[in-house]
């Protein structure tokens, strides 16, 4: 059996940072994201009697480092008694550099594995399984504007708005292409255990979610910009105050923020968000996207700018 799925990364506007149950990978806070259209991971999962172990190729190269987590994700969907699988992944953006490659990888793997195992699951069930592997992956099962609500025992996913009804553009300024220093899962646990700001972060999240949800419903860009930037900087403050401190930014990250402030002062519809890496995601009104791209391209230290619209959730590409 063989199936291929495609998934796009998503960018959180209200961030997931912290776990309330690390063993089950349940987030401590809800989050809101946008799913991108132009960056993708395609993942083929294949079973065969000839396979003696799981294997993973990423863009044609064997990768044993990421294999255990992907195997674990496939166990969650197919059960531990499953046959061995050959996984082939192709990705059109740098992996493990703070560009949400785990979100697109685990959501694509979940969709493909469910097909191979022939388990009929609805989108929310697939999202919960993907979320066991990586919290942010749950959101990539949905397109457009997505909320992952954190309710007691369950995470509940919902689509707040589809991509076409508010076609924002994201310009991602790549300031470094290497892998990040520490994965988000490990970093979150350090924050939970050591940051003096962590409990306030968790406490304030529902207020930020309410504000962002309303702004998205009203298509109020200025309000969304204000709450998304605030939530992003608050998350990074939690990280900076952790022990050891976690600073994912470089000098170009900061220069990009200055560029975006200047664009805002010039009346452009743009705001920034930054995840566990040095890249700056500039969320733009469609009419301002080109000007933002030009300004970010000229910002010192920016290696390249990737542009994306908003897109669909993870889906199968073919039938085995
Ligand atoms: C900063 O989903 O990568 O991007 O569940 O441990 O795999 P795990 O964490 P992950 O964390 C994402 C953190 C973030 C914010 C976000 O996407 O909400």
């Amino acid at each position: 059996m063989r199936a291929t799925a495609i998934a796009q990364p998503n960018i959180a506007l209200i961030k997931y940072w912290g776990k309330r149950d690390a063993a089950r990978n349940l987030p401590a806070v809800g989050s809101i994201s946008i799913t991108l259209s132009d960056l993708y991971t395609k993942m083929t999962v294949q079973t065969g009697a000839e396979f003696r172990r799981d294997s993973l190729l990423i863009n044609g190269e064997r990768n044993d480092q990421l294999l255990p987590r992907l195997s674990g994700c496939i166990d969650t969907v197919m059960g531990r008694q499953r046959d061995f699988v050959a996984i082939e992944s192709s990705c059109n953006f740098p992996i493990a550099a703070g560009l949400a490659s785990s979100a697109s990888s685990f959501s694509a793997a979940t969709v493909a594995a469910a097909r191979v195992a022939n388990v009929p699951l609805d989108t929310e069930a697939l999202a919960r399984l993907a979320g066991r592997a990586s919290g942010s992956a749950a959101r990539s099962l949905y397109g457009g504007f997505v909320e992952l609500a954190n309710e007691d025992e369950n995470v509940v996913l919902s689509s707040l708005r589809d991509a076409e009804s508010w076609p924002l553009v994201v310009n991602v300024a790549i300031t470094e292409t290497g892998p990040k220093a520490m994965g988000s899962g490990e970093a979150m646990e350090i924050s939970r255990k050591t940051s003096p700001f962590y409990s306030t972060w968790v406490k304030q999240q529902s207020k930020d979610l309410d504000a962002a949800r309303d702004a998205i419903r009203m298509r109020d860009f200025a309000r969304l910009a204000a709450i998304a930037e605030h939530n992003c900087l608050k998350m990074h403050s939690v990280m900076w105050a952790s022990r050891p401190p976690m600073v994912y930014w470089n000098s170009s990250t900061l220069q990009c923020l200055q560029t975006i402030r200047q664009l805002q002062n010039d009346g452009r519809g743009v705001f920034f968000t930054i995840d566990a890496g040095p890249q700056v995601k500039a969320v733009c009104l469609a009419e301002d996207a080109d000007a933002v791209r030009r300004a970010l391209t000229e910002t010192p230290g920016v290696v390249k700018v990737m542009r994306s619209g908003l897109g669909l959730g993870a889906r199968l590409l073919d039938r085995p």
Side-chain angles (χ1 to χ4, degrees), residues 10-17 19 25 31-33 69 100 102-103 106 131-137 139 180 183-186 188 235-236 239 274-276 281:
N10 67 77
I11 306 290
L13 304 182
I14 302 297
K15 310 288 188 187
Y16 149 49
W17 194 256
K19 300 174 196 283
N25 205 39
S31 52
I32 291 179
S33 61
R69 246 183 116 186
S102 63
F106 291 117
R132 298 263 291 274
S134 182
S136 56
R139 300 184 309 236
K180 58 190 173 196
S184 349
E186 193 186 340
M188 281 180 203
M235 177 185 76
H236 285 276
M239 295 180 192
I274 305 164
D275 292 301
K281 288 105 183 193

Side-chain angles (χ1 to χ4, degrees), residues 100-210:
S101 58
S102 63
S104 52
S105 302
F106 291 117
S107 52
T110 302
V111 171
R115 178 70 192 139
V116 167
N118 210 9
V119 282
L121 296 169
D122 63 16
T123 308
E124 182 153 4
L126 287 166
R128 285 202 189 133
L129 289 175
R132 298 263 291 274
S134 182
S136 56
R139 300 184 309 236
S140 273
L141 261 296
Y142 294 78
F145 296 78
V146 181
E147 176 163 8
L148 189 158
N150 190 26
E151 293 174 6
D152 303 327
E153 275 306 288
N154 265 332
V155 290
V156 178
L157 285 122
S158 52
S159 169
L160 297 176
R161 175 178 276 293
D162 64 25
E164 295 93 73
S165 66
W166 201 15
L168 301 180
V169 173
V170 181
N171 279 304
V172 183
I174 312 275
T175 64
E176 228 171 83
T177 50
K180 58 190 173 196
M182 187 190 288
S184 349
E186 193 186 340
M188 281 180 203
E189 281 297 274
I190 294 176
S191 287
R192 182 178 67 78
K193 289 181 189 145
T194 68
S195 178
F197 302 152
Y198 181 78
S199 59
T200 307
W201 157 257
V202 172
K203 227 180 285 159
Q204 289 193 352
Q205 189 77 341
S206 63
K207 215 169 51 167
D208 292 5
L209 288 164
D210 290 347

Side-chain angles (χ1 to χ4, degrees), residues 38-54:
D38 299 42
L39 276 52
Y40 67 81
T41 300
K42 283 183 200 166
M43 183 89 61
T44 300
V45 175
Q46 184 174 5
T47 49
E50 70 277 25
F51 300 146
R52 296 278 164 265
R53 57 187 284 279
D54 287 353

Side-chain angles (χ1 to χ4, degrees), residues 8-9 36-40 92-93 306-311:
Q8 271 89 238
L36 303 183
S37 57
D38 299 42
L39 276 52
Y40 67 81
N92 71 341
F93 62 97
M306 299 182 82
R307 179 195 164 110
S308 177
L310 306 192

